[in-house]
Amino acid sequence: MKKRNLLLGILITITSISTYAQQATKSKTDTIPLKYGSHRTGNRTDADMERWRSYGLGQFIHWGVYAIPGGHWEGKSYNGAAEWIRSWSGVSAPANWRTTYDNLYKQFNPTDFDANKWASQAKDMGAKYVIFTTKHHDGFSLWPSKYTDYNIANTPYKKDIVKQVVDAYDAQGIDVYLYFSIIDWNHKGYVSAVPKTEADSVAYEDFKQFTRNQLIELLKNYPKAKGLWFDGTWDAAWVKQSKFADDLEKELRALHPGLIIGSRFRADENGKRHFDSNGKMMGDYEQGWERKLPTNIEVLNGRDWDCVMTIPPNQWGYNSDWKSSYIKTANDLTDMLLNAVSMNGNLVVNFGPDGNGNIRSEEAHTAAKLGEWTKLNGEAIYGVRYSGLPKPDYGYYTKKDNKLYLTILNKPVNNVLRLTIPNSFKQKPTSAFLLNGKSQLQITTVDMGMSGDANVYFDIQLPVSLNTTSPFVVTIELNETKTNGKSFGDAKT
Ligand code: FHN
């Protein structure tokens, strides 16, 4: 009997040791070994990234040869985003369209282009950074690249546009990020599918070196740029280049300390983009929020991110016909801006100047309206963070130190803002002001008398005379206080 128990004990011990060993091995094997995945854990904490985090609002500019047709040619309309017009094909396309497009650069002469005017307009709008298309998918380089003839130097305009943009925006204190498309429809070696023949592979290797050369050239020519904004990186051919892209990213970072690159540049060896096979973000911030916003802060998992947004539904380059689309208003964009900053993101609003270098009147109007708003209310959007509070129905919270900003897009009919503050939130509202007018607002604690309630309530009285059609901000000072809005003991049930 004793012998049997001993054997049983040994068996149990062996089983539990092996279960533990299995668990240990499992957690080791849970992490997939990667050479070209993410090289960092957590967010960057250096000064350049801190600055990026404080931007709040940015401007995107899509400009290139596609601005000449502006989505239309010979009375025909391209049914896609105007900057993609080169890929127009089929019966709806004008005859010999590709050839026509590939020769359009010979007409590119934007004599109205004034980088200082754009930059001062962006400054007035309240943009803290700009992302500028140095080269879109068509391959046309807006700088005099040594590596292709398809560049600005060979147009009637001749002058380096990237340099003018970088200098003008930098002079206004707006940080510049260079948009660069890996897709390049003009380069002979470029293919989207993985090359199958030896000749295609050789040509693609040439394309990769060309890409590397152009990127190094951009960073050397324009050292004031703060980062690179990559696009067109979804092709199967590029997704296969995990080692090349990883080496190149390291090379670019070494060349330009502090360089900021989003999660859209490269894939890991298993073809995973943005997030590697272990779910770690590849890049300094999440770059997948194009024309969409996260539904809540939890989905972001603490990552840095920005959202790039068009004013019409999906047109980035100049499209001469905006009549048939909904055009976002400045209030729509303010809503999106607050939505983004309230969850630690930046909002980047896109502009598509025309073929002469003019920013269209609708965009100029939107920029001016946004500017009126950011001038008065900038405190609520720059350098602020997620408040830690549930989103209020009135609008959005942002927070900086002991100041809570409530940007109101839905004003209550009774002019009373009721703040619902969880008991677990250490700080409580102690005073409130209208940010624009700086006038103090009455704030009172509210005893709802609800047993077991997890929240406390505060009412802020808005002036009845406040009659506005724009979002406005209430600044709320927070202090650590024992005030919990409850004055009676809870019943024992
Ligand atoms: O195809 C492009 C598009 O034209 C535009 O440049 C946007 C901007 O984020 N990015 C691509 C689509 O993801």
Side-chain angles (χ1 to χ4, degrees), residues 333 447 460:
L333 294 165
D447 181 3
I460 295 176

Side-chain angles (χ1 to χ4, degrees), residues 418-468:
R418 174 153 300 166
L419 311 187
T420 303
I421 310 288
N423 290 329
S424 55
F425 196 77
K426 285 210 179 75
Q427 297 171 305
K428 298 287 180 294
T430 49
S431 52
F433 300 84
L434 267 186
L435 179 60
N436 310 351
K438 305 273 181 215
S439 51
Q440 186 151 11
L441 304 173
Q442 194 189 56
I443 180 163
T444 47
T445 58
V446 178
D447 181 3
M448 296 295 287
M450 289 202 289
S451 181
D453 196 349
N455 304 303
V456 287
Y457 306 90
F458 297 83
D459 277 0
I460 295 176
Q461 179 68 54
L462 293 173
V464 176
S465 57
L466 183 72
N467 199 4
T468 171

Side-chain angles (χ1 to χ4, degrees), residues 60 62 66 81-84 133 136-137 179 181 183 185 229-234 264 287 289-291 308-310 314-317 350:
F60 209 149
H62 274 72
Y66 43 80
E83 72 282 0
W84 274 73
T133 49
H136 204 260
H137 308 335
Y179 168 107
S181 167
I183 291 179
W185 295 324
W229 204 95
F230 286 102
D231 202 1
T233 54
W234 53 80
R264 230 190 243 201
Q287 207 191 336
W289 298 99
E290 178 172 319
R291 292 189 302 112
V308 292
M309 188 56 69
T310 48
N314 185 19
Q315 297 288 333
W316 299 86
N350 182 72

Side-chain angles (χ1 to χ4, degrees), residues 262-309:
S263 65
R264 230 190 243 201
F265 181 48
R266 62 189 179 88
D268 75 3
E269 50 265 61
N270 300 315
K272 294 275 187 217
R273 302 175 59 235
H274 295 279
F275 298 94
D276 70 16
S277 304
N278 292 314
K280 282 167 75 181
M281 186 171 69
M282 291 184 291
D284 301 323
Y285 64 95
E286 196 184 343
Q287 207 191 336
W289 298 99
E290 178 172 319
R291 292 189 302 112
K292 60 180 176 217
L293 284 157
T295 45
N296 57 60
I297 184 116
E298 283 76 29
V299 301
L300 296 159
N301 219 358
R303 292 182 294 271
D304 289 310
W305 65 283
D306 71 3
C307 162
V308 292
M309 188 56 69

Side-chain angles (χ1 to χ4, degrees), residues 13-62:
T13 314
I14 291 173
T15 318
S16 51
I17 288 172
S18 77
T19 314
Y20 177 77
Q22 264 172 15
Q23 275 169 357
T25 333
K26 192 162 181 270
S27 56
K28 255 191 210 158
T29 51
D30 270 356
T31 304
I32 299 165
L34 292 173
K35 275 193 192 160
Y36 310 118
S38 167
H39 302 299
R40 194 167 15 83
T41 302
N43 290 336
R44 259 172 70 170
T45 52
D46 56 283
D48 294 299
M49 202 62 207
E50 281 299 338
R51 186 172 162 96
W52 185 95
R53 237 164 246 140
S54 73
Y55 291 148
L57 177 63
Q59 182 188 40
F60 209 149
I61 299 185
H62 274 72

Side-chain angles (χ1 to χ4, degrees), residues 374-414:
T374 56
K375 253 176 223 86
L376 286 174
N377 303 295
E379 220 183 297
I381 55 164
Y382 303 123
V384 292
R385 306 301 288 160
Y386 165 59
S387 67
L389 290 166
K391 184 195 167 317
D393 291 339
Y394 310 116
Y396 302 94
Y397 284 133
T398 48
K399 187 173 184 280
K400 190 174 188 182
D401 305 324
N402 74 331
K403 278 191 181 161
L404 180 68
Y405 301 97
L406 171 52
T407 300
I408 295 149
L409 288 108
N410 309 307
K411 186 167 157 269
V413 285
N414 63 356

Side-chain angles (χ1 to χ4, degrees), residues 65-367:
V65 163
Y66 43 80
I68 298 175
H72 308 268
W73 197 255
E74 290 172 350
K76 296 180 169 197
S77 300
Y78 172 60
N79 186 22
E83 72 282 0
W84 274 73
I85 198 168
R86 184 188 182 272
S87 56
W88 201 354
S89 62
V91 283
S92 71
N96 302 318
W97 172 243
R98 287 276 157 88
T99 313
T100 305
Y101 187 90
D102 289 344
N103 283 290
L104 275 183
Y105 74 102
K106 295 177 186 160
Q107 300 173 31
F108 193 64
N109 193 15
T111 45
D112 292 345
F113 169 56
D114 178 352
N116 293 317
K117 194 170 159 194
W118 289 11
S120 85
Q121 187 181 52
K123 170 109 179 166
D124 285 348
M125 177 172 89
K128 302 290 180 190
Y129 70 128
V130 64
I131 305 166
F132 182 70
T133 49
T134 61
K135 175 177 99 165
H136 204 260
H137 308 335
D138 62 2
F140 180 70
S141 303
L142 284 163
W143 78 101
S145 176
K146 277 194 286 197
Y147 303 100
T148 174
D149 288 338
Y150 194 43
N151 79 52
I152 194 69
N154 295 318
T155 66
Y157 183 73
K158 289 192 169 54
K159 288 169 279 183
D160 183 346
I161 284 176
V162 176
K163 181 172 173 18
Q164 294 178 66
V165 168
V166 172
D167 290 347
Y169 278 75
D170 182 68
Q172 291 286 2
I174 299 174
D175 288 352
V176 181
Y177 289 73
L178 306 176
Y179 168 107
F180 184 91
S181 167
I182 297 292
I183 291 179
D184 186 323
W185 295 324
N186 190 260
H187 192 279
K188 285 199 174 58
Y190 163 77
V191 279
S192 65
V194 178
K196 285 203 178 68
T197 66
E198 180 59 24
D200 281 355
S201 299
V202 170
Y204 197 70
E205 284 307 308
D206 181 50
F207 167 68
K208 281 158 59 184
Q209 286 312 318
F210 162 75
T211 300
R212 173 176 170 268
N213 287 337
Q214 280 208 317
L215 287 168
I216 292 172
E217 185 180 47
L218 278 172
L219 291 185
K220 287 193 169 158
N221 283 9
Y222 315 106
K224 286 181 213 156
K226 303 283 183 211
L228 294 167
W229 204 95
F230 286 102
D231 202 1
T233 54
W234 53 80
D235 284 331
W238 180 254
V239 168
K240 277 267 174 222
Q241 308 307 320
S242 56
K243 176 174 168 29
F244 175 81
D246 187 39
D247 288 348
L248 180 53
E249 185 178 317
K250 286 182 183 139
E251 187 178 7
L252 298 170
R253 288 188 189 278
L255 190 67
H256 196 103
L259 190 72
I260 293 178
I261 297 178
S263 65
R264 230 190 243 201
F265 181 48
R266 62 189 179 88
D268 75 3
E269 50 265 61
N270 300 315
K272 294 275 187 217
R273 302 175 59 235
H274 295 279
F275 298 94
D276 70 16
S277 304
N278 292 314
K280 282 167 75 181
M281 186 171 69
M282 291 184 291
D284 301 323
Y285 64 95
E286 196 184 343
Q287 207 191 336
W289 298 99
E290 178 172 319
R291 292 189 302 112
K292 60 180 176 217
L293 284 157
T295 45
N296 57 60
I297 184 116
E298 283 76 29
V299 301
L300 296 159
N301 219 358
R303 292 182 294 271
D304 289 310
W305 65 283
D306 71 3
C307 162
V308 292
M309 188 56 69
T310 48
I311 298 179
N314 185 19
Q315 297 288 333
W316 299 86
Y318 176 72
N319 188 318
S320 58
D321 179 13
W322 270 15
K323 287 188 292 295
S324 34
S325 328
Y326 178 74
I327 302 303
K328 293 179 193 76
T329 63
N331 279 356
D332 289 334
L333 294 165
T334 308
D335 189 332
M336 290 174 178
L337 170 62
L338 266 302
N339 199 342
V341 291
S342 72
M343 292 188 283
N344 295 335
N346 295 320
L347 183 84
V348 187
V349 180
N350 182 72
F351 289 70
D354 70 17
N356 288 320
N358 293 305
I359 290 191
R360 68 194 309 148
S361 58
E362 299 95 325
E363 287 177 349
H365 175 75
T366 305

